[in-house]
Amino acid sequence: AAAVPDATPRWLAYIGSDQALSSNSGVTYAYDTEVFDTDSAFNTGTYTFTVPVGEAGTYFFFAYSYHAGTNSTAHQLANITINAGSSAFFEELDTNASYGKAFTVGVNGLAVLGAGDTVSVGGKSIFYAGTVVLQASLIRSAFGGWRIA
């Protein structure tokens, strides 16, 4: 029988403080609070996972973010992108002018990554009044992954 990988390295981080967004402006999402990081490969200052030397392989990763608005008739769009090495994974919720107040968007993917490759998350919201933040907490906005092979 084939050996089962130990699923390391693996990491899980979340947004620890609400992150204010500017309308229609792409930003890196600030997943700055670690739940775990088996190989000390996630940087809470740059919000980036870097594949350690000797840990190249196929990785599964996921991210979700809760875009919380203050105006129920002004929030049109929220999106999220995971950049993983030379690959990108994208998801968008667009109301097509049927505005809402808050949206959760999430994305996941698989990529073959080499030592030194990075994985990070970004995106944007489009809104026409009030403010929008990425709401802090593990259940609202998180980013994680692990090596599967």
Side-chain angles (χ1 to χ4, degrees):
V4 176
D6 65 0
T8 61
R10 62 182 173 271
W11 76 98
L12 178 61
Y14 64 93
I15 295 175
S17 298
D18 287 356
Q19 180 182 355
L21 299 177
S22 297
S23 184
N24 204 22
S25 180
V27 298
T28 299
Y29 292 172
Y31 296 98
D32 60 356
T33 305
E34 289 181 335
V35 177
F36 56 82
D37 180 7
T38 61
D39 290 53
S40 299
F42 186 81
N43 184 319
T44 58
T46 62
Y47 327 118
T48 302
F49 171 81
T50 302
V51 176
V53 172
E55 298 292 353
T58 303
Y59 282 77
F60 171 80
F61 35 80
F62 65 92
Y64 54 89
S65 59
Y66 184 73
H67 298 238
T70 58
N71 188 317
S72 63
T73 60
H75 197 178
Q76 177 184 341
L77 176 146
N79 69 33
I80 189 168
T81 302
I82 295 177
N83 295 299
S86 61
S87 299
F89 303 86
F90 176 80
E91 184 61 42
E92 180 170 86
L93 188 153
D94 187 343
T95 66
N96 277 334
S98 297
Y99 305 106
K101 183 173 182 178
F103 307 114
T104 298
V105 290
V107 65
N108 57 59
L110 288 169
V112 175
L113 300 174
D117 283 347
T118 60
V119 184
S120 62
V121 181
K124 69 179 178 182
S125 271
I126 295 177
F127 51 97
Y128 299 101
T131 61
V132 172
V133 299
L134 297 179
Q135 196 168 66
S137 87
L138 180 58
I139 63 170
R140 297 285 191 192
S141 301
F143 169 38
W146 58 92
R147 186 172 58 92
I148 62 169

